[in-house]
Amino acid sequence: MGKDTVTIIDNSTGKSIEVPIKRGTHGPPLMDIGKLYQELGMFTYDPGFVATGSCESKITFIDGEKGILLYRGYPIDQLAEHSSFLEVCYLLLYGELPLDNELTNFEDMITHHTMLHEGLKDFYSGFRRDAHPMAVMVGVVGALSAFYHDSLDIRNPTHREISAHRLIAKLPTIAAWAYRFSRGEPFAYPKNSLSYSENFLHMMYSFPSEDYEINPSAAKALDLIFLLHADHEQNASTSTVRLAGSSQANPFAGISAGVGALWGPAHGGANEAVINMLSTIGDVSHIDKYVKKAKDSNDPFRLMGFGHRVYKNYDPRAAIIRKACYDVLEDMKVDDPLFDIALKLEEIALKDDYFISKKLYPNVDFYSGIIQRAIGIPTNMFTVVFTIGRCVGWISQWNEMTADPAMKIGRPRQLYVGHAKRDYVPIHHR
Ligand code: CMC
């Protein structure tokens, strides 16, 4: 067996260096190129980070070729079947599944952090009522740092833990209030007798003037959606949170940066885009036309909810959500024609050479909107629901990075292709 290194040779100078190989528990090894610049005077070039590892992490593992997703080593399908969102939050944050009393204490802690500072309520009235709820999320999550400055010392593990609890607990309240504000309806305060998902439904839909009965199927489905979105290793929004946090910015500022990154249609915004796309398709008889458009390299149209940078196989979360769609629609007695279009679209795409050769499969966003529609979540709130679920992943990854004494500010380099150095020309000589 040879040395655990790779030799990089600069053929233009003949200089070479031995680069150590780092091996993790699972997944391809990485070349540690930290000394490349020092020794060869070169940077690496990888736009979109297609082949670049940015950190070591013990939290989540994805095998994109096999369609495997593990949270702290546990397969996503086992967690989806046996666990709950808050248990998964504990697992992601602390590294192990909780014991009975640990889970009870954690649930109690989160439940007792769901209220928002009353001053934050006034903050909402500064927004336009027709604002996208993700715009409100970016603003209000960032504003948490203006209300909870007693937990902002990032070097203090207790502060980090309190901020993590606050974020997980308060996101559903912030989200539900964004929805209520858009409708000119009264804000509903959280109720400590309710579970995490029940509370979200209560704050979304209850009125002070009448009793609101929570549908257990809706609460169960929502819990599953949160759980499936809880973490996904170094995706765009998580990397944004890590990069923002690497400057030692406070966690609320870092997470609001993550909310902004998640919003885009290539990332968390895809769930909203999928439903808009299915509505535009309108009928199974029009699917062929849209598949053709998606395959046309001169047409910017893509099948939303299809394809993934890492999964070159069926996204395991999509498989779970697809199955759950049948149960939820039946339980909620909903007959959604968009589900029929989605199923037929998937069937056609998965038999098509274009999608087969490019390994494009449905991702988590393809079916999640169908479930959210069935439980009455409006389309523009879908990415907000994703945000609530993903918050624990962001804060766990941020905590892992910040707890490491070797944390460094993130600072990528570039290939400068602009003008060579030139002298300033006074305005009348230009
Ligand atoms: N429909 C049609 N063609 C596609 C699609 C699609 N949905 N996705 C990728 N392709 C094609 C693309 O045109 C390219 O073809 P070519 O090699 O001929 O230029 C090839 O497949 C590779 O695509 P890419 O854009 O280079 O791949 P990427 O890894 O940079 O992008 C992606 C991944 C998720 C942004 C992309 O697949 C996409 O835009 N999908 C639709 C949006 C979506 O569903 N996003 C949610 C992602 S999962 C949840 C999350 O991350 O939040």
Side-chain angles (χ1 to χ4, degrees):
M1 184 131 149
K3 282 193 284 180
D4 218 10
T5 58
V6 167
T7 306
I8 300 181
I9 304 168
D10 175 355
N11 289 322
S12 63
T13 61
K15 274 207 224 162
S16 69
I17 62 161
E18 296 265 304
V19 170
I21 296 176
K22 286 173 88 72
R23 295 184 193 275
T25 320
H26 294 305
L30 279 79
M31 291 189 278
D32 179 352
I33 46 105
K35 293 234 162 65
L36 194 69
Y37 179 60
Q38 212 176 311
E39 309 234 341
L40 280 191
M42 275 191 207
F43 298 129
T44 54
Y45 183 64
D46 181 22
F49 309 116
V50 176
T52 297
S54 59
C55 61
E56 275 185 17
S57 181
K58 294 181 174 153
I59 301 176
T60 292
F61 173 72
I62 303 170
D63 184 332
E65 300 299 326
K66 294 193 182 130
I68 290 171
L69 168 62
L70 312 176
Y71 290 167
R72 299 282 190 185
Y74 295 103
I76 193 69
D77 50 318
Q78 293 183 21
L79 293 168
E81 190 173 347
H82 303 292
S83 188
S84 66
F85 176 60
L86 281 189
E87 187 180 51
V88 161
C89 286
Y90 185 100
L91 173 69
L92 290 170
L93 268 181
Y94 299 106
E96 294 297 338
L97 286 169
L99 300 174
D100 231 0
N101 65 322
E102 288 170 333
L103 181 59
T104 311
N105 290 344
F106 182 69
E107 286 172 343
D108 196 57
M109 179 68 76
I110 298 301
T111 303
H112 286 88
H113 273 300
T114 49
M115 292 280 286
L116 293 183
H117 189 290
E118 279 293 293
L120 258 179
K121 240 167 74 176
D122 302 333
F123 201 79
Y124 282 81
S125 53
F127 291 105
R128 283 174 53 136
R129 287 207 190 266
D130 60 356
H132 194 286
M134 282 299 279
V136 179
M137 294 296 286
V138 174
V140 182
V141 172
L144 290 174
S145 46
F147 289 86
Y148 299 99
H149 356 94
D150 58 337
S151 62
L152 297 186
D153 178 0
I154 64 155
R155 294 284 170 220
N156 181 329
T158 310
H159 279 213
R160 291 204 301 272
E161 188 176 28
I162 296 170
S163 289
H165 292 166
R166 282 180 167 153
L167 277 159
I168 296 166
K170 293 181 197 306
L171 265 260
T173 316
I174 295 173
W177 287 11
Y179 171 66
R180 300 308 287 256
F181 177 76
S182 73
R183 298 170 63 86
E185 291 173 0
F187 293 159
Y189 287 101
K191 263 190 180 176
N192 289 353
S193 57
L194 299 176
S195 74
Y196 191 84
S197 301
E198 288 170 345
N199 229 335
F200 180 60
L201 291 171
H202 154 75
M203 290 186 286
M204 285 282 289
Y205 303 121
S206 72
F207 283 93
S209 46
E210 57 191 26
D211 291 335
Y212 172 68
E213 211 176 302
I214 289 157
N215 183 317
S217 299
K220 190 171 158 229
L222 200 53
D223 199 77
L224 177 71
I225 298 259
F226 289 150
L227 183 154
L228 293 175
H229 287 84
D231 194 43
H232 214 230
E233 51 115 311
Q234 310 313 320
N235 54 81
S237 56
T238 304
S239 296
T240 300
V241 170
R242 279 188 178 258
L243 198 55
S246 77
S247 74
Q248 300 173 26
N250 72 70
F252 303 117
I255 299 296
S256 85
V259 178
L262 186 72
W263 191 359
H267 194 6
N271 52 16
E272 181 177 338
V274 168
I275 292 299
N276 293 335
M277 174 189 76
L278 295 174
S279 307
T280 307
I281 294 175
D283 189 89
V284 286
S285 62
H286 302 148
I287 290 175
D288 284 340
K289 178 176 137 199
Y290 285 89
V291 168
K292 219 176 196 176
K293 272 167 77 64
K295 292 177 351 184
D296 180 354
S297 57
N298 297 317
D299 189 326
F301 176 78
R302 283 186 169 199
L303 283 194
M304 298 313 287
F306 255 77
H308 197 277
R309 170 63 63 76
V310 183
Y311 292 117
K312 300 302 164 201
N313 202 325
Y314 213 101
D315 179 339
R317 302 165 302 170
I320 296 165
I321 298 187
R322 183 187 196 271
K323 189 166 163 283
C325 278
Y326 287 100
D327 301 340
V328 175
L329 294 186
E330 192 183 321
D331 281 2
M332 307 285 300
K333 300 188 177 29
V334 170
D335 181 16
D336 188 345
L338 295 193
F339 186 39
D340 298 331
I341 298 176
L343 287 170
K344 193 71 193 161
L345 178 57
E346 177 192 331
E347 190 191 318
I348 292 174
L350 292 186
K351 282 189 199 142
D352 190 294
D353 274 351
Y354 175 92
F355 293 89
I356 295 170
S357 63
K358 293 186 189 300
K359 299 186 176 173
L360 300 169
Y361 293 85
N363 59 51
V364 69
D365 294 312
F366 194 65
Y367 287 109
S368 74
I370 301 287
I371 294 195
Q372 296 199 51
R373 262 162 71 87
I375 52 186
I377 310 264
T379 313
N380 68 357
M381 285 289 289
F382 289 1
T383 313
V384 173
V385 168
F386 190 153
T387 308
I388 298 172
R390 181 56 53 85
C391 178
V392 64
W394 290 331
I395 198 73
S396 303
Q397 301 265 355
W398 169 83
N399 194 38
E400 181 179 66
M401 176 188 73
T402 311
D404 182 350
M407 175 175 97
K408 266 189 177 163
I409 188 165
R411 179 45 169 104
R413 306 306 289 253
Q414 63 167 7
L415 181 66
Y416 175 70
V417 292
H419 281 287
K421 180 177 174 289
R422 52 186 176 161
D423 290 325
Y424 177 79
V425 180
I427 196 160
H428 49 279
H429 287 150
R430 281 172 216 162

